[in-house]
Amino acid sequence: MKELDIHKIRADFPILSREVYGKPLVYFDNAATTQKPQCVMDKINEMYTTVNANVHRGVHFLSQAATDEHEASRRTVQEFINAASSNEIVFTRGATESINLVASSFCRDFCREGDELVITAMEHHSNIVPWQLQCDYYGLKLEVVPINAEGELILDELEKKITSRTKLIAVTHISNVLGTVNPISRIVEIAHRHDIPVLIDAAQSVQHRKVDVREIDCDFLVFSSHKVYGPTGVGVLYGKEKWLDALSPYQGGGEMISSVSFQKTTFNSLPFKFEAGTPDFVGTAALASALRYITSIGLENIDLYEHELLRYATEKLLAVSGLRILGNAADKSSVISFLVDGIHPYDMGTLLDKMGIAVRTGHHCAEPLMRELGVEGTVRASFAFYNTKEEIDMLISGIQRIVQMFR
Ligand code: PLP
């Protein structure tokens, strides 16, 4: 374990030194998207300046160079999550598209009317709606595993939801609202005992802790580049080769074919079968750069540092009169949702913004969870390893000023 040099780290993120409304920016909306280190922006510039050409299509020098870069990025992602093969890494536009891909192809190939899919009460809309679309189309049933008062999954209920008709379980690794870290290895173990594949939504986890798909033994795992310090518009779908082999293509077009005639088309090998059209090879190169950057800092160091921020912020927030935190799981990541008596989350967010402090307000794309919690929305502060205790102090004094204004 090494102590992070936060001063040096912050210097890698140019946006952190800007001001908003004449105040230093305090960026606590990292669960929505993370800021980008200079190396990621440099990579984008370098790609367009020196390598730009379409991948997989040309015999010329630049096309080969762009293809090499794109495929090297795939191997970087493979290593990052410890996948067995780069064939198991499919590039998409984001976690949402990755889930839609699995939902669409899996339900088409493996589900029949009356079959069941299991999700949880703390899912992001991106891990609800794609399954609902398939449920409507094929006449499937969506089962939901409830949570307890602390915001943890009730695992006994998961076992009870599993029937002979259950075809897949899709669960978030870390809740974007509650910060709850779900026991995904245990969930996979339970599911596999019943021969049911599991999809893990890792959109809120790969940036905070080491995720090893072989250790977890999940069948699918998804995440978004922009939440892991990479560029927007790129996502990852990991799938075990046996599953990706068994699934039909999601979209048709260039790249994903082996041969095309008007009578019959045959499909390309993995992972290209799922990558129709020109991929964002500039984005994938920049994602690889982001992954190398956080690997060089060390996810264990990031995890420890962010846990200290979480502990510090939780203690300070709970000392504010009338403030309550939603989500008190024993295993929690660096997201805190809270409400203050008599102050609407929108007012809190707007006033904090005027002080230069960016937090999220609203339902956080988890309306069913809000209903479960009996609230319309929350204020959410989410931390990254470039945040500091001094910034948390600024948040606390901002909240205290707002509380004074309202009392
Ligand atoms: N899943 C979770 C848990 C999320 O927090 C998010 C985004 O906030 C998503 C999925 C969707 O990610 P994207 O919009 O990048 O596809």
Side-chain angles (χ1 to χ4, degrees):
M1 297 311 137
K2 71 170 188 223
E3 189 125 323
L4 300 189
D5 182 348
I6 299 304
H7 189 69
K8 186 163 164 286
I9 285 171
R10 286 180 70 84
D12 293 334
F13 293 81
I15 204 170
L16 296 180
S17 55
R18 71 159 289 173
E19 295 189 338
V20 291
Y21 309 113
K23 314 256 169 26
L25 168 69
V26 175
Y27 187 76
F28 283 153
D29 196 16
N30 295 288
T33 199
T34 51
Q35 299 302 345
K36 316 305 169 201
Q38 187 62 51
C39 62
V40 167
M41 295 179 279
D42 287 347
K43 192 69 192 177
I44 293 169
N45 193 23
E46 178 198 317
M47 289 295 289
Y48 282 125
T49 313
T50 64
V51 193
N52 185 49
N54 208 332
V55 292
H56 298 141
R57 289 174 195 196
V59 290
H60 62 80
F61 181 89
L62 282 188
S63 179
Q64 292 289 347
T67 304
D68 290 349
E69 187 83 47
H70 183 58
E71 291 311 317
S73 305
R74 200 187 300 279
R75 289 192 295 280
T76 302
V77 174
Q78 176 202 343
E79 279 165 30
F80 184 71
I81 57 172
N82 195 30
S85 155
S86 61
N87 290 346
E88 298 180 322
I89 307 299
V90 176
F91 286 121
T92 63
R93 287 188 301 125
T96 302
E97 189 176 55
S98 300
I99 297 172
N100 275 280
L101 188 164
V102 177
S104 170
S105 294
F106 182 89
C107 294
R108 172 179 155 179
D109 294 331
F110 291 100
C111 297
R112 296 293 164 261
E113 192 173 344
D115 283 345
E116 295 161 13
L117 304 166
V118 176
I119 59 168
T120 83
M122 66 173 87
E123 299 307 319
H124 186 280
H125 294 165
S126 292
N127 201 24
I128 302 173
V129 185
W131 304 109
Q132 277 176 334
L133 291 173
Q134 302 305 320
C135 285
D136 286 350
Y137 197 73
Y138 293 108
L140 315 175
K141 218 169 124 200
L142 196 60
E143 292 286 351
V144 182
V145 181
I147 55 173
N148 65 21
E150 307 305 322
E152 296 163 320
L153 278 185
I154 307 175
L155 274 192
D156 289 349
E157 292 294 325
L158 169 73
E159 291 253 33
K160 285 187 205 149
K161 297 284 178 201
I162 294 174
T163 72
S164 60
R165 302 300 304 263
T166 309
K167 290 291 182 244
L168 183 137
I169 297 173
V171 57
T172 193
H173 189 181
I174 295 180
S175 161
N176 66 313
V177 176
L178 306 167
T180 308
V181 182
N182 285 320
I184 48 171
S185 295
R186 177 98 185 85
I187 291 169
V188 169
E189 194 188 304
I190 294 169
H192 284 181
R193 239 192 281 132
H194 299 267
D195 274 335
I196 300 164
V198 179
L199 177 142
I200 303 293
D201 176 354
Q204 294 294 345
S205 64
V206 286
Q207 62 278 53
H208 296 301
R209 44 175 72 191
K210 180 76 192 141
V211 169
D212 180 329
V213 288
R214 277 190 276 178
E215 197 178 299
I216 299 163
D217 198 26
C218 53
D219 301 277
F220 303 100
L221 181 135
V222 307
F223 67 91
S224 288
S225 157
H226 72 97
K227 291 187 198 282
V228 63
Y229 308 97
T232 49
V234 178
V236 170
L237 163 64
Y238 158 81
K240 278 186 183 162
E241 208 158 344
K242 68 165 186 181
W243 278 113
L244 294 182
D245 260 334
L247 294 186
S248 300
Y250 173 53
Q251 294 179 330
E255 305 270 349
M256 52 75 74
I257 53 91
S258 170
S259 85
V260 179
S261 75
F262 287 121
Q263 286 69 41
K264 185 171 168 57
T265 290
T266 55
F267 303 118
N268 206 340
S269 54
L270 289 178
F272 311 110
K273 181 172 97 176
F274 294 105
E275 293 180 356
T278 301
D280 186 354
F281 54 90
V282 173
T284 57
L287 165 62
S289 175
L291 298 183
R292 283 192 293 275
Y293 177 78
I294 59 170
T295 303
S296 74
I297 293 173
L299 273 157
E300 282 179 12
N301 302 318
I302 289 173
D303 190 13
L304 272 182
Y305 178 77
E306 290 180 346
H307 257 93
E308 180 52 21
L309 290 184
L310 177 71
R311 187 204 60 74
Y312 184 78
T314 303
E315 188 186 301
K316 295 268 169 172
L317 282 167
L318 287 176
V320 176
S321 94
L323 187 148
R324 74 182 163 108
I325 290 177
L326 296 96
N328 297 294
D331 193 1
K332 199 174 158 176
S333 182
S334 42
V335 171
I336 305 183
S337 272
F338 62 91
L339 286 170
V340 181
D341 283 348
I343 307 179
H344 194 278
Y346 184 78
D347 292 333
M348 178 65 83
T350 308
L351 291 167
L352 284 172
D353 176 52
K354 293 290 178 286
M355 301 172 193
I357 303 169
V359 293
R360 198 71 161 186
T361 61
H363 56 59
H364 316 295
C365 292
E367 281 191 47
L369 174 59
M370 293 298 128
R371 244 165 256 130
E372 198 77 18
L373 297 170
V375 298
E376 254 179 66
T378 73
V379 184
R380 181 184 74 184
S382 51
F383 311 118
F385 59 88
Y386 44 61
N387 290 128
T388 64
K389 287 186 179 171
E390 291 70 38
E391 289 182 312
I392 290 169
D393 290 340
M394 287 158 88
L395 170 71
I396 302 297
S397 72
I399 294 170
Q400 267 156 349
R401 269 175 65 197
I402 294 163
V403 169
Q404 291 304 321
M405 281 161 62
F406 273 78
R407 300 259 154 90

